[in-house]
Amino acid sequence: MRPPRRPAGSLTSPQVFLLGGSFLITLGSFAVLPYMSVLLHDRFGLGLGVVGVVLAVASLVQFSGGVVGAALAARIGLRATMLVALAVRTAGFAAFVPGLTRPVVAVAALFLVSCGAALYLPANKAYLVAGCGPERRPGLLAASGSAFNAGIALGPPAAAPFVLTSPGGLFTGVAVLFALVGAGHALLPSVADDRAAEEGAEGERAGEDRGVESGAVSGRHLPPFAFTVLAVYVFMFFQHYLALYAVPRTSTAFYGTVLMGYAILLVVAQPLFARRLAALPYATALRLGFGAMAAGTAVLALGGRAGIAVGAVLLCLGEIVLFLKNDLEALDRSTAPSATVFGRQRLAAGLGAFAAAVVGGQLYGVAERASAVPVFWVVVSAQAVVLPALLVVCVAGAARRRTGGEPVGARLPR
């Protein structure tokens, strides 16, 4: 039986714990993971090509493994899956200590950490929204995103004094932190990821209504999975290559300030805009989000401190709109368990990130050899406009074929 819904804005004790745990988990993770390329290359002597392959595969495992985490949650439950995931991540961080003298062990530890992350996030989000109606999900998911992003922002500077001078102590401290957070998870009550089929049907009907209101191609016809792939694909160009672009043109201090400002804006703005984003028609949100990313990457091409700062703000707004709205839309349209939905969304993010890593390196290399690096950002901006438009055209064509030529935005008979 479904637990009674709480008033809007009211958090349960388990939800408060999960939000706090999300902050601590990313704080610990990002005290280590951003420095892995330095450790693998400088300390262990691995070639940059090998380091790139290791990090790319680890990232793909971390994202795409979410579908495995969802399947595990369906079998053993949400709390048990989180406990398994945290045990795996604790073992991974602990294994970095002997890995300091054994590169093979360090690489194995990295993959353990990535596997634990893949298992944890779908179950975490599903537990957070368990028993909550559509009206509460935007605020909860936005708060979860803010907690994760706060940890991401604070982890690297917190670890900077220790990562090269005493990495063994850092890895031990992170492992202990994960063990303590895992022990707290063991005290959480069990909940079922049992969203009712009729609730999913309500979401589908709402999607249909939004589609009718917003024009010819919108609402239920636009697949959140595909648009998540595209959103992460465009965003990861910024994530991977801003440092290479910004530091030579400004300074390391300015680049760090931009990243800090980006993180603060993301943490503060996403919860504030959550309800408004939830109310937006999906097609409108896609136009706003990809439009902001296209404008942001175009402004980056101008270079200089102003161009880089303004471009980062626009990209942050695009991330806020697209990442949250895609998750909400995927939940609204599916009658599958929440963990399954979040697992699929993680897979989509993994595909987008992997594609950006493969394509971005080639594009940036060509632009750098031609002494025209700003053109790289113009090409990224063009992709942020053209690729979503092409996907909409493909979706419209497929929808017309399914409906025998009826206009895509028309209401189908029930």
Side-chain angles (χ1 to χ4, degrees):
M1 184 175 179
R2 183 180 300 280
R5 291 179 180 171
R6 297 171 68 90
S10 176
L11 294 176
T12 65
S13 296
Q15 286 170 336
V16 172
F17 173 82
L18 279 185
L19 292 174
S22 295
F23 168 73
L24 293 175
I25 285 169
T26 48
L27 178 71
S29 297
F30 279 79
V32 172
L33 297 180
Y35 300 104
M36 285 310 303
S37 58
V38 176
L39 291 171
L40 292 173
H41 180 59
D42 292 348
R43 189 177 184 95
F44 302 138
L46 299 181
L48 286 175
V50 175
V51 170
V53 170
V54 168
L55 294 180
V57 174
S59 297
L60 186 61
V61 167
Q62 180 171 336
F63 281 102
S64 62
V67 293
V68 179
L72 184 64
R75 179 171 292 273
I76 67 174
L78 299 176
R79 184 186 65 173
T81 300
M82 289 191 288
L83 289 173
V84 170
L86 290 170
V88 170
R89 295 193 86 180
T90 301
F93 284 115
F96 276 122
V97 178
L100 289 172
T101 56
R102 300 179 184 88
V104 173
V105 176
V107 172
L110 176 61
F111 282 107
L112 276 177
V113 170
S114 297
C115 288
L119 297 176
Y120 182 80
L121 194 60
N124 170 276
K125 286 189 172 183
Y127 191 107
L128 189 66
V129 301
C132 297
E135 73 282 353
R136 295 200 60 213
R137 290 180 201 145
L140 288 170
L141 292 178
S144 176
S146 291
F148 276 106
N149 284 302
I152 290 171
L154 295 177
F162 312 105
V163 69
L164 295 178
T165 57
S166 55
L170 175 64
F171 293 141
T172 300
V174 172
V176 170
L177 173 65
F178 269 83
L180 292 174
V181 173
H185 279 65
L187 303 177
L188 291 173
S190 295
V191 300
D193 189 4
D194 61 348
R195 294 193 306 131
E198 61 269 19
E199 184 176 293
E202 290 172 6
E204 290 180 2
R205 288 193 290 272
E208 290 180 11
D209 293 340
R210 287 194 297 270
V212 173
E213 292 167 3
S214 59
V217 183
S218 56
R220 62 191 172 88
H221 300 97
L222 300 178
F225 182 94
F227 283 103
T228 298
V229 173
L230 289 184
V232 175
Y233 170 76
V234 173
F235 173 75
M236 291 307 289
F237 286 104
F238 169 76
Q239 186 82 355
H240 287 320
Y241 299 105
L242 181 64
L244 287 175
Y245 180 73
V247 171
R249 289 164 176 78
T250 56
S251 66
T252 304
F254 178 78
Y255 172 67
T257 302
V258 168
L259 290 188
M260 183 174 294
Y262 187 102
I264 292 171
L265 178 60
L266 194 62
V267 169
V268 173
Q270 194 168 49
L272 291 178
F273 295 146
R275 290 187 179 276
R276 293 181 182 179
L277 285 177
L280 275 181
Y282 188 38
T284 301
L286 291 174
R287 285 193 290 268
L288 288 174
F290 282 109
M293 285 193 172
T297 47
V299 171
L300 286 177
L302 299 176
R305 293 173 183 262
I308 291 170
V310 173
V313 169
L314 289 169
L315 279 153
C316 184
L317 295 176
E319 178 185 353
I320 289 170
V321 173
L322 291 175
F323 287 19
L324 179 59
K325 187 63 175 180
N326 281 330
D327 278 356
L328 291 173
E329 201 71 19
L331 273 177
D332 283 347
R333 295 169 184 229
S334 177
T335 58
S338 299
T340 300
V341 176
F342 289 126
R344 292 170 185 163
Q345 287 298 99
R346 289 285 288 178
L347 173 60
L351 294 174
F354 188 78
V358 172
V359 175
Q362 299 299 320
L363 286 179
Y364 201 93
V366 170
E368 195 172 50
R369 288 191 294 274
S371 299
V373 173
V375 176
F376 169 82
W377 297 110
V378 175
V379 173
V380 175
S381 178
Q383 290 184 89
V385 174
V386 172
L387 293 179
L390 286 176
L391 181 56
V392 169
V393 170
C394 293
V395 170
R400 280 194 296 270
R401 288 191 294 272
R402 284 197 302 270
T403 59
E406 183 181 354
V408 174
R411 185 188 298 275
L412 298 178
R414 300 197 185 279

